[in-house]
Amino acid sequence: MLSVHDLQVRYGRSVAALHGVDLDVSPDGVLAVLGSNGAGKSTLLRAISGTLRMHRGSIAGGEVRYEDKPLNQLDPARIVRLGVVGVPEGRQVFARMTVEENLRAGGIGSRSPEGRAAARRRVDELFPVLAERAKQRAGLLSGGEQQMLAIGRALMSGPRLLLLDEPSLGLAPKVVEQIGGVVREIHAQGTAVVLVEQNAVMALRVAEHAIVLEVGKVALAGTTAELAASEDVQRLYLGGHAESQATAEAEAETARTRSIGRRLSRWAG
Ligand code: ATP
């Protein structure tokens, strides 16, 4: 469905943000994109959604193809009409508009009233809380609800491929879990997803394939099971290092206690 080949992206003349990125997303797939700050995750989504120019960036080489059409030269509105819709980082909702108005704005580009009504039913089922708060101003929703509204608004245009940029950012663990469940459900309903995340635990649970970006390059790629088993991913993203350190400290503490116990019993007896 989506194929990115040897993608090079620059900001202005001096910043080379992506150097030869390759990836594929199948029509029924969820691809997680992991990586630390500044690795190029948002840049990758901007290149796919055609929004690089808004950030003074450009594709300097390589290709983004969606259903075998090159996207490189297309403007963002055309890319949305093809079915590729992004939810940018930072829960960007229209804060002064109501939930209802935000959702209606998301459906403006939809061609048929039936399509809009079906998309609305899907959003109401996925996010009952948005239906309950339809008349409330979006700026008054909680962080998690705003994230749900941002995703709901994107779903209103009936995407076939959804690009999510760090949907879990700044949310409590329980809400992150809910968002993960929603992404899984969206995928089960037949929408492919590219999920950029710093929360690797959630992303690897939800996706089937993943890549790890490091300084603008794909450092690791594979199934989520393969990546979750990788020592690098465990150490850098899953807290494996912290866990093994904690285990080592606990074992050392037990050994110290035993040794004191042995010395005390020798002294006593
Ligand atoms: P984060 O997790 O912090 O959002 P990221 O992995 O999404 O990071 P990007 O935001 O894609 O990383 O940034 C990749 C590189 O491009 C970084 O070196 C960043 O400083 C640079 N960059 C991003 N946006 C711009 C811009 N508008 N102008 C110049 N450089 C930029």
Side-chain angles (χ1 to χ4, degrees):
M1 177 183 236
L2 178 80
S3 111
V4 172
H5 178 61
D6 194 25
L7 183 66
Q8 331 258 340
V9 171
R10 289 187 157 275
Y11 290 104
R13 280 166 190 237
S14 51
V15 182
L18 296 182
H19 325 263
V21 167
D22 292 298
L23 63 86
D24 285 293
V25 182
S26 62
D28 57 354
V30 178
L31 176 78
V33 180
L34 309 178
S36 49
N37 289 115
K41 304 180 299 297
S42 300
T43 300
L44 174 63
L45 293 192
R46 289 172 190 161
I48 299 169
S49 60
T51 54
L52 272 173
R53 239 167 294 161
M54 298 173 190
H55 303 269
R56 301 194 184 173
S58 60
I59 294 182
E63 199 172 39
V64 179
R65 291 183 85 83
Y66 170 71
E67 295 188 326
D68 240 10
K69 289 180 212 65
L71 298 187
N72 292 31
Q73 303 299 329
L74 300 185
D75 64 69
R78 176 105 177 80
I79 293 175
V80 168
R81 281 200 297 278
L82 288 175
V84 181
V85 181
V87 180
E89 192 179 313
R91 309 194 271 277
Q92 291 176 25
V93 294
F94 301 120
R96 286 164 178 272
M97 285 163 56
T98 64
V99 168
E100 175 73 39
E101 288 163 345
N102 268 272
L103 292 177
R104 243 186 286 144
I108 280 173
S110 170
R111 279 174 214 144
S112 70
E114 295 78 22
R116 274 198 297 275
R120 185 55 195 269
R121 278 196 300 278
R122 182 187 190 191
V123 171
D124 287 349
E125 276 165 25
L126 276 170
F127 307 111
V129 68
L130 297 183
E132 283 162 24
R133 313 234 159 143
K135 301 277 175 277
Q136 216 173 74
R137 272 219 243 159
L140 299 176
L141 298 177
S142 71
E145 288 160 356
Q146 287 187 4
Q147 184 61 67
M148 290 173 198
L149 180 56
I151 298 175
R153 198 177 57 194
L155 290 177
M156 284 300 295
S157 54
R160 302 196 39 233
L161 173 64
L162 190 64
L163 311 171
L164 297 177
D165 197 350
E166 300 213 26
S168 78
L169 195 70
L171 299 178
K174 210 169 152 223
V175 186
V176 172
E177 219 172 277
Q178 271 178 332
I179 300 280
V182 162
V183 176
R184 243 191 309 232
E185 185 57 30
I186 289 171
H187 164 234
Q189 292 171 347
T191 307
V193 181
V194 178
L195 174 63
V196 160
E197 261 303 334
Q198 292 224 13
N199 186 327
V201 174
M202 184 269 253
L204 292 177
R205 227 180 261 158
V206 168
E208 292 127 6
H209 290 88
I211 61 170
V212 177
L213 282 184
E214 265 175 29
V215 224
K217 288 191 177 144
V218 177
L220 290 168
T223 63
T224 44
E226 283 164 353
L227 261 73
S230 132
E231 258 180 44
D232 283 342
V233 171
Q234 288 194 6
R235 184 168 47 83
L236 295 169
Y237 300 103
L238 298 175
H241 179 60
E243 263 169 41
S244 53
Q245 201 173 335
T247 311
E249 276 167 14
E251 279 168 2
E253 184 59 36
T254 311
R256 259 198 308 276
T257 314
R258 280 203 192 119
S259 147
I260 292 169
R262 272 197 302 273
R263 265 183 281 158
L264 277 175
S265 55
R266 268 205 304 273
W267 177 74

